[in-house]
Amino acid sequence: MRESELLRVYRPLYDYLNGMNIYGVRNLARAFGVNAPTAGKKHDLILRLIAVASGLSEPEPRSNKGARVKSGEVPPESIEQVRRLIAECKETMPFLAGPDSAEKAEFHDSGADGRAAAGYVDRRFVGILERLAAGGRLCSKDGVRTDVFVAQSCIDDYGLREGDLISGYAGERGEGRAEVVQIIGVDGLAPSRSRPAFEDFSAMLPAERIPLAASSVAAVRALDRLCPIGKGQRVLFRAPAGGGKTTFIREAARCAAQADLRTVILAFGRPEECSELSAAVPSASVFAAPFGALSAERIRLARLALAYCKGIAASGGDAVLLVDPLAELLRACAEGGSLPGGEVFVSLAEQLFASARRLQSAGTLTVIAAAPAEGEIYDRFAEAANCLICGGPARIEGDPFGIDFARSFTRRADLLLTKEEREAADALRARLAAAGAEESAALLQQIQKENL
């Protein structure tokens, strides 16, 4: 986001911070993850703080430079005030808050009186763009099609892409058909034809992990140290039937949502499981096409969800896309055949999984998929994964599934853990590898008790 746009949206927060002395701003900046805040002018530091605190940029890499924050230096009320002002600023710009703010609201301008008298009024919208053969259509946060259409001329004028989260105003065009008449935001930013596409960014290794400590499942909390999930990773959870694949997806989604990551779930399982996912993670976008849904609908939702998440990452946000189960997406791809133009649907599942990455100077897209323990096709996905998690028999009482930490791994986990965490993880992994099922369960029980 350009400086002028950032100041326009977050002016109340800027004024609050600018009213503090420089030492207070520096301590707040450190608390929110700004590196070396003693360098540069106060104005520039405030802009960096706002960008990190609001999610426009990720926390800056750790450095030994600069003093560390001491306990008591940052009053909790100051941190809470910053978060409250961020939330208030986003509410004034509905496209920054995401599809959850898509409440329909009527408005009138000076030239609308005649149209309003005839029963036509414009309404505010926030929706995800789905491209059609000609023009496009808006979908809700869960991929459900709405009655709002987008003309091809509008798509061309604003340089819109499928999956764009757009906000603006729509007007009636007769026969109950609504059409976009004004766009005020695209993917949380002001509309721009020069926006870089997801594919324009270089892929980087994940450098920040998704916190899993919020999970109630001890095995998932253990992953945070033994097999961490980084922002931008391709994660494959493999387990036999009844091994807790859907439960794992639900727990991972909860952790991502609680970390304020944009969470999207492709749910292809049983209808009741899809409903449970929606209820368990209310802030997530659940693109549901349960058992019995047409393959074409599953493919449509997968394409739309992937495009939506790519747009979030390209605009500087962090998106997490979860697939439950991968087997159903592959089955839909196989049954879908190919498009008239020759595009083969079967490659969609691989494209979706391969899209996970951290973008240089932008955001991240993490893909977490659940798959069976056996199957040659899933072996290919396991080879492409940079985080493989295998279900196992060892579990503690009350846990819905176990994890085989001896077979699970995260590539370049050293980038996600501190030196002390790596040493502790290596020691614990060695103990788990040498232990039997009962001793492994006891170690996990210890992890749960000590809240490691």
Side-chain angles (χ1 to χ4, degrees):
M1 181 180 287
R2 295 187 301 271
E3 178 178 326
S4 60
E5 185 71 11
L6 185 144
L7 288 173
R8 182 174 70 86
V9 176
Y10 294 102
R11 172 59 67 177
L13 175 57
Y14 180 90
D15 291 341
Y16 169 74
L17 295 171
N18 197 38
M20 302 175 64
N21 61 48
I22 185 62
Y23 302 104
V25 176
R26 286 172 179 172
N27 285 330
L28 266 175
R30 292 190 188 99
F32 278 97
V34 175
N35 179 38
T38 56
K41 298 181 180 179
K42 182 179 179 182
H43 169 78
D44 296 330
L45 177 58
I46 291 175
L47 295 182
R48 290 166 61 196
L49 197 164
I50 293 175
V52 171
S54 64
L56 292 173
S57 64
E58 64 184 44
E60 299 174 1
R62 295 191 186 101
S63 172
N64 294 324
K65 298 179 181 179
R68 296 187 178 276
V69 181
K70 299 178 181 178
S71 59
E73 281 191 349
V74 184
E77 56 269 22
S78 297
I79 295 177
E80 182 59 32
Q81 176 71 351
V82 170
R83 290 173 174 163
R84 185 181 65 80
L85 287 172
I86 288 173
E88 291 179 356
C89 291
K90 287 186 176 182
E91 286 179 0
T92 66
M93 305 295 286
F95 56 89
L96 287 173
D100 289 330
S101 63
E103 300 173 358
K104 296 177 180 178
E106 297 179 354
F107 83 102
H108 301 276
D109 58 28
S110 58
D113 293 340
R115 295 173 61 248
Y120 294 98
V121 292
D122 291 335
R123 71 191 193 203
R124 191 181 71 196
F125 69 83
V126 178
I128 302 171
L129 176 63
E130 177 186 4
R131 291 297 306 269
L132 305 176
R137 187 172 190 167
L138 294 185
C139 299
S140 71
K141 75 163 207 171
D142 295 325
V144 179
R145 286 169 169 162
T146 71
D147 64 344
V148 180
F149 291 83
V150 186
Q152 184 62 48
S153 58
C154 183
I155 292 175
D156 294 338
D157 290 342
Y158 288 96
L160 301 178
R161 311 182 185 112
E162 183 167 65
D164 280 347
L165 177 64
I166 61 177
S167 65
Y169 296 95
E172 299 294 337
R173 289 295 179 265
E175 299 180 358
R177 179 186 175 100
E179 189 171 293
V180 171
V181 295
Q182 180 185 3
I183 291 178
I184 60 174
V186 179
D187 289 331
L189 305 174
S192 172
R193 290 181 55 86
S194 60
R195 292 180 298 141
F198 180 87
E199 290 74 17
D200 295 337
F201 294 92
S202 299
M204 308 290 289
L205 289 169
E208 182 183 2
R209 70 179 185 251
I210 297 174
L212 302 177
S215 175
S216 60
V217 179
V220 174
R221 293 204 304 276
L223 286 174
D224 200 43
R225 301 294 178 86
L226 295 173
C227 193
I229 297 177
K231 294 180 181 178
Q233 283 189 314
R234 294 175 295 280
V235 183
L236 191 67
F237 178 75
R238 300 190 69 175
K245 291 187 287 292
T246 296
T247 305
F248 174 80
I249 290 294
R250 183 170 65 243
E251 288 301 312
R254 278 176 174 166
C255 293
Q258 289 183 22
D260 293 328
L261 307 181
R262 298 286 281 278
T263 307
V264 179
I265 306 174
L266 278 171
F268 299 138
R270 303 175 184 88
E272 59 274 14
E273 292 173 342
C274 296
S275 299
E276 283 183 346
L277 284 170
S278 297
V281 196
S283 63
S285 297
V286 181
F287 288 57
F291 177 79
L294 296 176
S295 296
E297 175 64 6
R298 291 182 166 184
I299 290 171
R300 181 188 77 85
L301 289 177
R303 292 168 65 105
L304 185 62
L306 176 59
Y308 173 46
C309 290
K310 282 183 173 182
I312 293 172
S315 62
D318 296 310
V320 180
L321 177 57
L322 304 101
V323 185
D324 178 45
L326 181 61
E328 290 299 321
L329 177 57
L330 284 168
R331 183 176 292 111
C333 290
E335 294 175 354
S338 61
L339 292 169
E343 180 182 353
V344 179
F345 275 135
V346 74
S347 64
L348 175 60
E350 294 180 354
Q351 292 173 4
L352 184 148
F353 195 65
S355 295
R357 66 196 64 182
R358 178 169 73 98
L359 304 180
Q360 185 177 29
S361 303
T364 63
L365 169 54
T366 306
V367 177
I368 304 175
E374 303 295 336
E376 183 177 350
I377 182 63
Y378 306 111
D379 292 341
R380 293 180 57 191
F381 282 86
E383 291 175 0
N386 48 19
C387 179
L388 177 64
I389 303 172
C390 299
R395 67 177 71 180
I396 69 170
E397 184 178 354
D399 265 12
F401 57 85
I403 293 177
D404 185 348
F405 288 101
R407 298 168 54 210
S408 303
F409 63 87
T410 296
R411 300 186 191 277
R412 296 305 306 272
D414 58 296
L415 299 176
L416 305 173
L417 301 172
T418 64
K419 180 181 178 181
E420 293 77 12
E421 288 173 337
R422 291 198 304 271
E423 291 174 351
D426 290 342
L428 183 55
R429 186 181 289 275
R431 290 181 62 188
L432 287 169
E438 293 184 3
E439 188 177 349
S440 296
L443 286 173
L444 290 177
Q445 184 75 52
Q446 181 182 354
I447 290 172
Q448 184 185 48
K449 288 182 178 179
E450 298 180 7
N451 196 28
L452 296 177

